[in-house]
Amino acid sequence: MNKSGISTVTQFVLLGFPGPWKIQIIIFSMVLLVYILTLTGNMAIICAVRWDHRLHTPMYVLLANFSFLEIWYVTCTVPNMLVNFLSKTKTISFSGCFTQFYFFFSLGTTECFFLCVMAYDRYLAICRPLHYPSIMTGKLCVILVCLCWLIGFLGHAITIFFISQLPFCGPNIIDHFLCDVDPLMALSCAPTPIIEYVFHFVSSLIIIHTILYIIGSYALVLRAVLQVPSSAGRQKAFSTCGSHLVVVSLFYGTIMVMYVSPTSGNSVAMYKIITLIYSVVTPVLNPLIYSLRNREMKFALRQVICGIRIIQPS
């Protein structure tokens, strides 16, 4: 990173949530608890889908992959955050900071596309039920999952690489708990580079296009559901899609405030709280949202919790 001889910063200081030692311990305990619950809940969903052959359908395969994504999404930031709560130096290396930056945005972008694919799956299941088995095949499901991961990890690769090549030769203190784009750009001693505008443009483009696609898909789903003559059928469709919409609202509501709408008027504390919601709080809520509103998932999770593996007859 310092081959040019211009950049002198070799590490950054992540201030996190400053305060007395007792406050640090309290926040540490709360974040640790949330992290454990996130890992436990999402792992339970993965195991339920893996063990219960009745859940080997595209909807649940997508949900299991989404849970796998959420595990990595919190893991790229929370462990370092927990270490910093107990550390006096609160440092992160230059390469470590940009590695976290890359994975944080790549996993977040992947989540946007996963939510799109899940919306597409619900659209096919409800609006085109007779064609659903022939369209959403296992092969197509695997292709869509792979595309989500591929596009997610390529979407910001070039811009983040060029940001990492900017000169950082002054202060190295980041008033945040993770390496985010705006705090990093504020520390660069180069004039506001075009790459910053490119990064925000790409982020906004991804967020706006994916949320518009999701809204459009669920608008068609809503229209189809309202035409269902059976009240039981409407209730089941609303229950399934309702859980997806709650997840979408939690995730997109916060990231749009951060990366689409102007944030200059927000205080640093508000900036951290909003980031905490979509990066730490939302992943722990997702297993609860999906399992509590889904009878098949609740049954499969009971098997996992009770330690009873479902054995299919040979």
Side-chain angles (χ1 to χ4, degrees), residues 144-292:
L144 291 174
V145 167
C146 292
L147 282 175
C148 287
W149 285 101
L150 184 64
I151 297 172
F153 274 79
L154 292 178
H156 289 295
I158 296 175
T159 53
I160 291 177
F161 171 77
F162 280 109
I163 290 173
S164 71
Q165 301 304 302
L166 294 174
F168 291 87
C169 48
N172 66 338
I173 298 175
I174 299 176
D175 193 2
H176 207 342
F177 59 84
L178 55 82
C179 294
D180 205 349
V181 58
D182 289 334
L184 280 171
M185 296 305 301
L187 295 181
S188 174
C189 51
T192 304
I194 188 66
I195 193 65
E196 181 178 2
Y197 297 109
V198 173
F199 183 90
H200 282 291
F201 175 77
V202 172
S203 298
S204 299
L205 200 66
I206 292 171
I207 293 169
I208 292 172
H209 277 74
T210 53
I211 189 61
L212 288 177
Y213 178 84
I214 292 169
I215 291 172
S217 298
Y218 281 113
L220 295 174
V221 167
L222 179 61
R223 186 179 68 177
V225 169
L226 293 175
Q227 294 174 352
V228 174
S230 167
S231 60
R234 286 197 301 270
Q235 184 178 359
K236 183 177 180 180
F238 273 127
S239 178
T240 302
C241 296
S243 59
H244 291 194
L245 285 173
V246 170
V247 172
V248 168
S249 300
L250 285 171
F251 181 70
Y252 274 95
T254 49
I255 65 171
M256 288 185 74
V257 171
M258 290 293 295
Y259 303 111
V260 178
S261 63
T263 58
S264 57
N266 295 333
S267 66
V268 174
M270 182 60 66
Y271 194 92
K272 294 178 185 178
I273 291 170
I274 295 172
T275 307
L276 193 68
I277 291 172
Y278 73 80
S279 65
V280 179
V281 177
T282 301
V284 76
L285 295 177
N286 289 347
L288 295 174
I289 293 169
Y290 281 114
S291 61
L292 291 177

Side-chain angles (χ1 to χ4, degrees), residues 24 36 40 43 96 101 103 124 156 190 209 213 283 296:
Q24 296 288 304
I36 293 172
T40 305
M43 280 299 298
F101 180 27
F103 277 98
L124 289 177
H156 289 295
H209 277 74
Y213 178 84
E296 291 85 0

